[in-house]
Amino acid sequence: MEHVFQYFDENGDGKISALELRNRLGVVLVGDELLPLEEAEEAVECLDLDGDGFLGLDDLVNFMDSSTHDDHGEKEKLQDLRRAFEIYDMERVGFITPKSLSMMLTRLGESKSIDECKVMIKHFDLNGDGMVMRKLYLEMEHVFQYFDENGDGKISALELRNRLGVVLVGDELLPLIEAEEAVECLDLDGDGFLGLDDLVNFMDSSTHDDHGEKEKLQDLRRAFEIYDMEGVGSITPKSLNMMLTRLGESKSIDECKVMINHFDLNGDGVLSFDEFRVMMQ
């Protein structure tokens, strides 16, 4: 949460004013227009625990913590978010890139250029790398940097031996030939080195070896439930409008009706789960 807090704290004084909240959050929620200052002030007043008229890091953490501890359960909500993220990560690279966001919006019948998607991503891109990063990448980045002794962005067999050897076999180094075999096994692009993608792919596949058709169906079901923001068992124009607004892409109800119409097989004006499955194939 500290990175999120720093994003909103424009002047770096350790607290978020209503004006800063409006400036940072406004475009995300309501498009090109800024959020009314009065609404930002009401939000600060609602979340401000110590009554000083500003939001501190504790206020933000408390809000996020309370938001994720309802009956649904924190663990299940995290799984929901991960599955939704994986649907948007259409290139399977561990990030939501402008290209993958463009592909997803195209599936929804809302074609956007790469440049337009870059603008949408920029609203949530806290580290400025042009992508929305998956948590596993953030976690593995520190591990990768530990093994990448010379900081060139890739792990050689020698570096793997030097770093991993002591961990595995004590004071003796791991035999270089074993390190070379490990690199060869995990090296996806065949360049003779391990990149961050190789490391993340290994960790990800290690925890999803038996994903199976049943779990894939569950993934789709959870993603569908995220879009079903009204909780009526279908994706309505209103719920699609709400989700796109969260993505920083405000659309009218009529525009959302047109988008749904592309995949509405029975013509009832909403997307059922089966129609959603067809859309995601």
Side-chain angles (χ1 to χ4, degrees):
M1 289 304 301
E2 193 169 0
H3 295 291
V4 178
F5 183 83
Q6 290 171 352
Y7 169 76
F8 283 98
D9 180 18
E10 291 183 299
N11 62 7
D13 64 353
K15 52 190 177 181
I16 302 170
S17 67
L19 184 61
E20 289 173 321
L21 186 66
R22 182 193 71 164
N23 293 344
R24 291 296 200 186
L25 194 60
V27 176
V28 175
L29 293 180
V30 297
D32 295 331
E33 300 179 9
L34 285 175
L35 188 74
L37 183 57
E38 183 179 350
E39 292 185 20
E41 290 172 343
E42 290 174 356
V44 169
E45 183 178 355
C46 179
L47 302 177
D48 178 21
L49 296 177
D50 57 12
D52 66 350
F54 298 91
L55 295 183
L57 180 57
D58 289 343
D59 298 323
L60 198 61
V61 169
N62 181 72
F63 169 68
M64 293 303 295
D65 198 40
S66 62
S67 299
T68 56
H69 285 80
D70 56 15
D71 293 338
H72 192 60
E74 184 177 3
K75 183 177 180 181
E76 192 167 348
K77 281 196 171 186
L78 187 61
Q79 290 174 338
D80 290 346
L81 284 172
R82 180 179 291 280
R83 285 167 175 141
F85 179 91
E86 288 172 352
I87 286 174
Y88 274 88
D89 175 21
M90 300 193 73
E91 297 177 272
R92 296 295 181 266
V93 293
F95 305 94
I96 299 176
T97 66
K99 181 180 178 181
S100 61
L101 180 58
S102 172
M103 293 165 66
M104 186 62 190
L105 290 177
T106 298
R107 284 196 173 190
L108 290 170
E110 182 62 22
S111 181
K112 289 289 177 184
S113 69
I114 296 296
D115 286 338
E116 288 173 314
C117 289
K118 286 179 180 178
V119 173
M120 293 171 66
I121 283 177
K122 187 177 181 181
H123 292 309
F124 303 97
D125 178 19
L126 302 181
N127 66 358
D129 66 354
M131 298 174 285
V132 180
M133 186 179 291
R134 178 179 164 183
K135 185 181 179 183
L136 182 57
Y137 265 78
L138 289 170
E139 293 172 347
M140 292 309 300
E141 196 168 17
H142 297 291
V143 178
F144 183 84
Q145 290 170 354
Y146 170 76
F147 283 98
D148 180 19
E149 291 182 300
N150 61 7
D152 63 354
K154 51 191 178 182
I155 302 170
S156 67
L158 184 60
E159 289 173 321
L160 187 64
R161 182 192 70 163
N162 293 344
R163 291 296 199 185
L164 194 60
V166 176
V167 176
L168 292 179
V169 297
D171 294 332
E172 297 179 13
L173 287 175
L174 187 74
L176 183 57
I177 189 171
E178 292 186 20
E180 290 172 343
E181 289 173 355
V183 169
E184 184 178 356
C185 179
L186 302 177
D187 177 22
L188 296 177
D189 58 13
D191 65 350
F193 298 91
L194 295 183
L196 178 58
D197 287 344
D198 298 323
L199 201 59
V200 169
N201 181 73
F202 169 67
M203 294 301 296
D204 205 32
S205 62
S206 297
T207 56
H208 294 85
D209 286 335
D210 191 23
H211 194 62
E213 191 63 32
K214 183 178 179 180
E215 192 167 346
K216 285 185 178 181
L217 190 62
Q218 290 176 338
D219 290 348
L220 281 174
R221 172 70 66 180
R222 293 185 188 279
F224 177 82
E225 289 171 356
I226 289 172
Y227 273 89
D228 175 22
M229 300 192 72
E230 297 179 273
V232 295
S234 58
I235 300 175
T236 67
K238 181 180 178 181
S239 61
L240 180 59
N241 169 269
M242 293 165 68
M243 177 56 75
L244 290 177
T245 298
R246 283 194 174 189
L247 290 169
E249 182 63 19
S250 182
K251 291 292 175 184
S252 69
I253 296 296
D254 286 339
E255 288 174 312
C256 289
K257 286 179 180 178
V258 172
M259 294 167 68
I260 283 177
N261 188 52
H262 290 298
F263 302 97
D264 180 17
L265 302 180
N266 63 3
D268 63 355
V270 297
L271 289 184
S272 67
F273 176 64
D274 288 335
E275 290 167 334
F276 181 74
R277 286 177 63 186
V278 171
M279 182 186 78
M280 297 308 299
Q281 288 177 353

